[in-house]
Amino acid sequence: MSNPHNSPVIIDALGQPCPMPLLMLKRALKKADGIQQYLLKSSDPHSEIDVTRYCQIQQLQCLTQKISDTEFHYLIESM
């Protein structure tokens, strides 16, 4: 992933049930003003399927990291 100098926009969806993490990501992407990197934090284990599929469809790069059994991070960037 490029752009190491800019911090990603953090989308905190911890505690939000499916499909809220994905909806929060979509909302943030719509508001994007030249921002190209996002860190989505989710506690929903089903978010991995939703977020990775959405990123594939939208041609966004997505790195998934399982922090614990109840926390998942997704680093999302425009290609």
Side-chain angles (χ1 to χ4, degrees):
M1 299 225 162
S2 61
N3 213 2
H5 302 294
N6 293 336
S7 297
V9 172
I10 296 177
I11 304 165
D12 187 354
L14 294 172
Q16 298 291 326
C18 195
M20 281 307 294
L22 181 58
L23 294 174
M24 291 171 75
L25 172 62
K26 288 180 178 181
R27 200 175 304 142
L29 289 168
K30 280 185 182 178
K31 285 194 253 178
D33 185 24
I35 300 164
Q36 299 203 349
Q37 200 173 56
Y38 300 86
L39 176 60
L40 173 62
K41 296 180 180 183
S42 176
S43 53
D44 179 10
H46 301 293
S47 64
E48 184 174 0
I49 295 166
D50 294 341
V51 171
T52 53
R53 278 190 189 153
Y54 178 77
C55 288
Q56 286 175 340
I57 291 167
Q58 297 298 316
Q59 297 184 329
L60 301 168
Q61 214 169 23
C62 180
L63 294 178
T64 303
Q65 184 177 10
K66 183 176 180 178
I67 305 300
S68 69
D69 286 341
T70 57
E71 187 168 349
F72 306 88
H73 288 186
Y74 307 96
L75 186 61
I76 298 142
E77 186 174 328
S78 302
M79 290 196 223

